[in-house]
Amino acid sequence: MKTCFATVIYKQAATFFEDLVNSLDSQTDKDFDILFVNDNYTTEELKEMGVITPDGEKCALFPSLNGNVILIDLQQTNLSIPETRIAMLEAAKLLGYDIAVLGDADDTLSEDRVKLYKKAHEIDKDAVFFYNNFVINDDESLFKDLPSSAASIEAIGQQNFLGLSNTGICIDKLSLEFIKSLEEGATMVFDWYLFSRILLDVGGGCLIDGAYTRYRIYEGNIAGANRDITKEYTIKAKHYEILSTRSKYIKDLENKLKAITPGEIIPNNDHKGYWWSDIQL
């Protein structure tokens, strides 16, 4: 099984790069590649970090891993955040990976995350993606009561628990045409759009017990750290607008949202930590 860990690296997360590298090198499964998509580091910075090495030299960042480090350098392209993530998926597809375990550059992985994802992919041939929980603070779970599977758009229609740091996608099940079509969803919540499209057009996914992503909440990454009804309303309005032509269920949600104002909304009492889950229609 051809496997990679894929992430977009960027200067704003430079402080956390060493932690990410260490968590990858500590994986119990050693047979996978690292796919780095560079957003805005300069070539000199990439050399200083050890991502770019002299010709013929193996990258020394991951001494215990058997795979290769592959760099997709986008520093001159000025792509948006969604566009860099689409480029990452496209690169994984063109490189022939069966599964890409995903992670953000400011998070870290449990040591058996890659192993458990590969095992799940071997066992469940129908799943298009897999997901795990986050932990924050002193190993507290970010999401409460995660479902064992996400089989349809209804699973994330009014909230989201599928991000680009707690999932892995069976790239072999996505067509290049599908990946390119994701450009339609260039919003600030691209992860929600991506997995909505996968559920609508490709298939479902399953929870991986025992794996986790350590989620870092700080000024540059505040999703899930606060509950802002007005912001959630704005995000949902745009999200539903983009997807409304693809799903009657989403169109109905869009209409229900338009019928109310943020000031009328009472925050969801049964809040499980999911992103964008305070407004229930």
Side-chain angles (χ1 to χ4, degrees):
M1 180 194 313
K2 191 172 182 182
T3 305
C4 72
F5 172 83
T7 189
V8 175
I9 56 174
Y10 48 94
K11 291 182 182 183
Q12 294 87 336
T15 305
F16 313 118
F17 183 71
E18 184 177 354
D19 289 342
L20 173 64
V21 167
N22 290 338
S23 76
L24 289 168
D25 197 49
S26 299
Q27 290 297 297
T28 54
D29 186 300
K30 305 297 183 182
D31 297 316
F32 64 98
D33 292 340
I34 307 293
L35 177 59
F36 281 144
V37 176
N38 176 44
D39 180 7
N40 58 5
Y41 284 109
T42 66
T43 300
E44 285 305 311
E45 287 169 334
L46 292 171
K47 289 178 180 179
E48 291 172 6
M49 295 160 63
V51 175
I52 293 179
T53 58
D55 291 344
E57 288 189 18
K58 181 178 175 61
C59 178
L61 288 173
F62 308 100
S64 78
L65 300 186
N66 299 322
N68 298 311
V69 176
I70 299 163
L71 175 66
I72 306 298
D73 196 354
L74 303 177
Q75 62 176 293
Q76 301 295 330
T77 61
N78 295 315
L79 296 182
S80 66
I81 290 176
E83 288 170 336
T84 58
R85 276 64 182 175
I86 294 169
M88 176 180 71
L89 296 174
E90 184 174 347
K93 181 67 178 180
L94 293 173
L95 290 166
Y97 289 107
D98 298 306
I99 183 170
V101 180
L102 305 179
D104 285 337
D106 50 5
D107 294 333
T108 57
L109 300 67
S110 58
E111 64 181 11
D112 53 0
R113 186 167 175 238
V114 171
K115 174 184 176 181
L116 291 173
Y117 271 63
K118 289 173 71 171
K119 181 179 179 181
H121 185 52
E122 290 174 352
I123 294 172
D124 191 339
K125 301 300 184 183
D126 295 324
V128 180
F129 61 89
F130 302 99
Y131 56 95
N132 59 262
N133 211 333
F134 289 98
V135 296
I136 56 175
N137 303 324
D138 296 324
D139 295 333
E140 173 191 353
S141 294
L142 178 64
F143 300 143
K144 317 302 181 191
D145 303 320
L146 270 178
S148 60
S149 64
S152 67
I153 186 60
E154 285 79 3
I156 59 169
Q158 301 199 65
Q159 62 277 316
N160 188 34
F161 50 81
L162 301 171
L164 292 177
S165 200
N166 72 319
T167 55
I169 298 176
C170 302
I171 299 294
D172 54 356
K173 289 185 167 62
L174 304 186
S175 69
L176 197 57
E177 184 177 56
F178 172 84
I179 294 172
K180 289 181 178 297
S181 77
L182 297 172
E183 294 174 0
E184 158 193 287
T187 71
M188 65 183 295
V189 287
F190 175 71
D191 53 357
W192 195 10
Y193 170 81
L194 167 64
F195 286 100
S196 295
R197 283 289 310 279
I198 290 176
L199 285 165
L200 285 169
D201 300 339
V202 190
C206 299
L207 174 68
I208 304 294
D209 286 320
Y212 66 83
T213 303
R214 188 167 294 281
Y215 190 57
R216 202 184 301 268
I217 296 176
Y218 62 104
E219 185 178 354
N221 180 27
I222 58 172
N226 54 40
R227 298 168 67 177
D228 185 329
I229 291 293
T230 301
K231 181 177 181 180
E232 181 174 328
Y233 186 96
T234 302
I235 284 172
K236 281 187 166 173
K238 184 63 175 179
H239 179 70
Y240 292 156
E241 177 188 358
I242 293 173
L243 290 170
S244 62
T245 59
R246 297 180 177 274
S247 165
K248 181 182 182 302
Y249 167 72
I250 294 294
K251 182 63 178 178
D252 289 344
L253 289 177
E254 181 187 31
N255 290 335
K256 289 178 181 179
L257 186 68
K258 286 180 176 178
I260 58 176
T261 64
E264 299 176 77
I265 297 168
I266 299 174
N268 177 21
N269 286 327
D270 187 26
H271 194 279
K272 298 179 179 180
Y274 301 164
W275 299 306
W276 322 121
S277 60
D278 261 324
I279 302 174
Q280 296 295 303
L281 303 168

